[in-house]
Amino acid sequence: MRASIDVCGCFPTGKHYPGIAERMARLTTRVRGMAEGFEPATVWAAARFAVLDFETTGLDPEVDRVIEIGVACFEGGELVETRNWLVNPGMPIGEESKAITGITDEMVADAPSFGGVWDEVRVVLTGRIPVAYNHAFDSKFLWAECRRLGLPPRGSELPPAACDDGVWIDPLVWAREIQKDEKGHKLGDVCARLGVSLETAHRANHDAEAAGRVLLALAAKMPERYGDLLRVQQRYAATQDVEITWRRR
């Protein structure tokens, strides 16, 4: 059964009229947080989307820095590309981060800075709906790194993920709602319940791919249209206590 959506297809009498929902959806021209270039009626699961995952020196995006970027790109419900970049953060990696990710200062010593890989990352993200598992963590790190590069906070010249007024699709919000009676909603827990492979947790490209597969595995119980999904997701997220921590996975 699909999650409830804002457009019901009925008049105040309660009587359903075929086609009303579709006509009303077409009249919706703007949904807060939508990625530019996509319509509210877009079937998101078949669209081009990019799942992002960042490993970082710590948990504070205003102080800490990205040390690894993973992106998994999906089109038509299929994985079409994965990319991974190690990043020199210009600061020591925290001990907790080293223990969780296995990434050391030596591993990133000769890696480029975030600015050195941004052009490649930007190309991969352009024209794709952004997705992340607990997007409050990953989106804030991306936006902080973009500010350090002097990029504008939003605009058509940026990929949707880099616009700081955007709302990313978040599989964690949906897992918490759809699997609310299950114990544990870290990425690894949800992967295990859905039969999704997670080869190396806490390495960015593996986490990104697994999060994308989780999202598609939950899709049948989510709104089909992109605009409806964002509206419902924002309502669900407002009632959920999403802790920003590495333990999310």
Side-chain angles (χ1 to χ4, degrees):
M1 182 177 180
R2 289 194 182 278
S4 61
I5 59 176
D6 290 346
V7 178
C8 70
C10 348
F11 285 118
T13 60
K15 185 176 180 180
H16 182 82
Y17 290 83
I20 288 294
E22 288 74 13
R23 288 196 289 273
M24 290 175 68
R26 285 196 293 270
L27 292 175
T28 303
T29 58
R30 179 65 183 168
V31 176
R32 184 170 69 85
M34 278 188 58
E36 187 169 345
F38 294 89
E39 299 298 324
T42 297
V43 177
W44 65 267
R48 302 174 77 239
F49 64 85
V51 189
L52 293 90
D53 186 88
F54 296 109
E55 303 301 340
T56 61
T57 60
L59 296 175
D60 185 348
E62 300 306 318
V63 176
D64 292 301
R65 304 296 296 271
V66 169
I67 57 176
E68 188 177 38
I69 305 168
V71 182
C73 297
F74 291 79
E75 295 179 18
E78 299 291 338
L79 179 70
V80 296
E81 180 183 18
T82 59
R83 295 291 301 274
N84 202 73
W85 297 265
L86 281 174
V87 177
N88 187 328
M91 65 184 294
I93 300 173
E95 292 303 316
E96 186 176 8
S97 178
K98 290 179 186 177
I100 291 168
T101 67
I103 299 173
T104 65
D105 296 300
E106 292 73 23
M107 290 170 64
V108 299
D110 296 324
S113 66
F114 185 88
V117 301
W118 171 244
D119 282 346
E120 293 181 24
V121 176
R122 176 183 55 78
V123 169
V124 175
L125 299 181
T126 295
R128 296 184 183 275
I129 296 171
V131 177
Y133 203 86
N134 193 3
H135 94 86
F137 181 90
D138 298 281
S139 62
K140 288 177 181 177
F141 266 94
L142 176 59
W143 299 339
E145 293 286 7
C146 286
R147 286 196 300 272
R148 293 184 185 105
L149 295 180
L151 298 175
R154 60 195 68 91
S156 58
E157 70 279 11
L158 295 174
C163 296
D164 71 358
D165 59 348
V167 177
W168 298 12
I169 297 177
D170 192 338
L172 174 59
V173 172
W174 292 97
R176 286 183 165 187
E177 180 62 27
I178 294 167
Q179 299 185 347
K180 63 174 63 175
D181 296 326
E182 300 287 351
K183 187 174 182 180
H185 294 96
K186 300 174 187 176
L187 180 57
D189 296 330
V190 178
C191 283
R193 285 195 291 269
L194 294 173
V196 172
S197 174
L198 178 54
E199 288 187 24
T200 309
H202 302 294
R203 291 308 300 265
N205 59 323
H206 295 292
D207 284 353
E209 179 178 342
R213 294 192 185 281
V214 162
L215 181 66
L216 291 171
L218 297 174
K221 296 182 179 180
M222 296 166 61
E224 182 177 80
R225 295 183 177 90
Y226 180 37
D228 296 331
L229 180 147
L230 288 192
R231 282 193 292 266
V232 177
Q233 177 179 289
Q234 290 175 79
R235 290 206 302 268
Y236 287 160
T239 66
Q240 297 176 0
D241 180 20
V242 180
E243 182 183 4
I244 300 176
T245 170
W246 281 301
R247 301 296 191 269
R248 73 194 191 283
R249 299 173 191 161

